[in-house]
Amino acid sequence: MIIEEGLKLHVEKRSPSQEEYRSLRGQSDWYTVGNQFEKAAFGKEVHCVVVLDGPNVIGMGRVVGDGAIYFTIQDLMVHPNYNNKTVGRLIMDHIENFFETGASRHAYIGVLATRETRELYKKYGFTERKTKNSEMFKIVIRGNSTH
């Protein structure tokens, strides 16, 4: 994947700290969750990656679920200064790699998409459901796999 020239991005498989999460949410213009809910939520995901430019977290993506059959992609965020620089695709590539080995053959993977993110998710095989929330889903079906 080609990242914009001059960017020195790297991906870490980990949850963001509460400070990193709060900062990214605020810069991405997402609503405030609240300290107690951040503490309750983080550390329980089945997979999480953060993207850093030097020491700064500029993107993240979490996968929550039962760890085998049902998954939801949550909190896929990219700092506004890095929009349209393939950071979202970098995050999704890592999430998709996790699903290749961490999801059952017939896993259900959901995501709530915005108008801005629909096309990204479609590139990864998600299909829109005709609901008010623009819910998208994907069912992973692999041949003769034991997963």
Side-chain angles (χ1 to χ4, degrees):
M1 175 181 307
I2 298 172
I3 302 292
E4 186 173 300
E5 191 174 329
L7 292 181
K8 293 184 169 57
L9 304 181
H10 68 280
V11 177
E12 293 180 2
K13 182 183 168 191
R14 67 170 177 86
S15 298
S17 69
Q18 275 189 275
E19 294 77 27
E20 291 169 332
Y21 180 70
R22 197 172 296 125
S23 175
L24 191 56
R25 273 187 89 89
Q27 293 168 1
S28 300
D29 210 21
W30 285 30
Y31 62 87
T32 303
V33 174
N35 191 36
Q36 75 185 62
F37 297 110
E38 291 168 357
K39 282 183 181 177
F42 278 88
K44 295 182 179 138
E45 57 273 331
V46 295
H47 185 73
C48 191
V49 295
V50 295
V51 179
L52 297 100
D53 185 1
N56 302 313
V57 172
I58 55 96
M60 67 163 288
R62 287 192 326 141
V63 178
V64 298
D66 63 15
I69 302 169
Y70 296 100
F71 301 91
T72 304
I73 298 170
Q74 296 291 149
D75 296 323
L76 195 146
M77 288 186 272
V78 175
H79 187 286
N81 292 349
Y82 294 82
N83 283 342
N84 302 315
K85 296 183 185 345
T86 67
V87 176
R89 287 183 49 208
L90 182 62
I91 294 166
M92 281 301 297
D93 285 349
H94 281 268
I95 289 173
E96 284 290 305
N97 286 338
F98 164 75
F99 290 139
E100 287 296 316
T101 58
S104 71
R105 286 181 40 200
H106 296 279
Y108 176 91
I109 302 167
V111 63
L112 290 177
T114 63
R115 263 183 256 118
E116 296 82 14
T117 60
R118 278 187 202 137
E119 292 306 313
L120 171 67
Y121 294 124
K122 284 180 182 179
K123 289 176 184 173
Y124 290 89
F126 288 84
T127 303
E128 285 190 66
R129 290 181 61 188
K130 301 301 178 197
T131 66
K132 292 180 189 176
N133 296 333
S134 296
E135 181 181 354
M136 300 175 82
F137 71 98
K138 172 168 88 171
I139 298 176
V140 176
I141 299 177
R142 282 196 265 301
N144 302 332
S145 173
T146 59
H147 294 294

